[in-house]
Amino acid sequence: ATEMYTQWTSPSSEGKTGKVYKGFEAFVETSSITMVLTDQGYADKQKVESLTVNPITVSFAKGTHANSVPTYYNNGTALRYYAGNTITFTGGVIRRIVVTAPSANYSKLSANQGVISIDGVTSTWEGNSDNVVLSGTGSGRMTKIVVTYEVQ
């Protein structure tokens, strides 16, 4: 398969990275934020509605699930989500989302657009959108989220 872009890394100490898409003269500069769910100070069995690390906001909702919403549990030290729950990413043009689960059997996500691939504990979404919705396809857990977005 032919790569549609080449990776670019800033020569400065900022460590910014980006992709130069073939056929385009313009450069798309990207940056990343990391959300470690165990570092948020959540109480055991706390329902989680949203989490913001500027400029990205992640909203967690019941979606089509009958009654459960995404909830943080100390047992397993992870945010649990359920079939039909939605996890919505906003706040910029998002290019990549990497969700880490505590074990492979808890990687249970689908996406409303773009491409999502699951490899063991890592679920990786790639696309180009300012409103990405991931949905639980079963009972899953997440411990960390890394979002790569375009710098405006």
Side-chain angles (χ1 to χ4, degrees):
T2 303
E3 292 290 333
M4 294 176 51
Y5 59 84
T6 56
Q7 191 67 33
W8 174 87
T9 301
S10 167
S12 71
S13 61
E14 295 172 16
K16 293 182 179 179
T17 62
K19 294 178 180 177
V20 178
Y21 289 83
K22 292 184 179 173
F24 292 90
E25 294 295 321
F27 166 72
V28 178
E29 182 181 355
T30 59
S31 189
S32 297
I33 55 96
T34 300
M35 301 172 170
V36 179
L37 295 161
T38 54
D39 292 347
Q40 303 306 313
Y42 296 131
D44 188 35
K45 300 178 185 167
Q46 179 176 338
K47 293 174 181 11
V48 179
E49 294 181 3
S50 69
L51 175 60
T52 299
V53 175
N54 283 330
I56 304 299
T57 295
V58 183
S59 302
F60 302 92
K62 184 170 87 166
T64 60
H65 193 277
N67 46 30
S68 294
V69 297
T71 304
Y72 183 84
Y73 285 89
N74 287 340
N75 180 7
T77 57
L79 182 123
R80 296 184 192 177
Y81 58 88
Y82 306 93
N85 284 171
T86 58
I87 305 157
T88 304
F89 295 79
T90 57
V93 176
I94 298 165
R95 292 301 187 114
R96 186 172 207 224
I97 301 166
V98 179
V99 177
T100 304
S103 64
N105 56 322
Y106 292 123
S107 295
K108 302 192 182 276
L109 293 168
S110 66
N112 68 329
Q113 61 187 300
V115 176
I116 191 165
S117 58
I118 298 175
D119 183 12
V121 300
T122 305
S123 300
T124 303
W125 175 88
E126 290 186 302
N128 181 357
S129 178
D130 61 1
N131 189 342
V132 179
V133 180
L134 302 182
S135 297
T137 58
S139 294
R141 298 180 185 183
M142 60 178 66
T143 56
K144 182 171 79 170
I145 303 168
V146 178
V147 180
T148 302
Y149 59 94
E150 288 183 15
V151 175
Q152 299 298 316

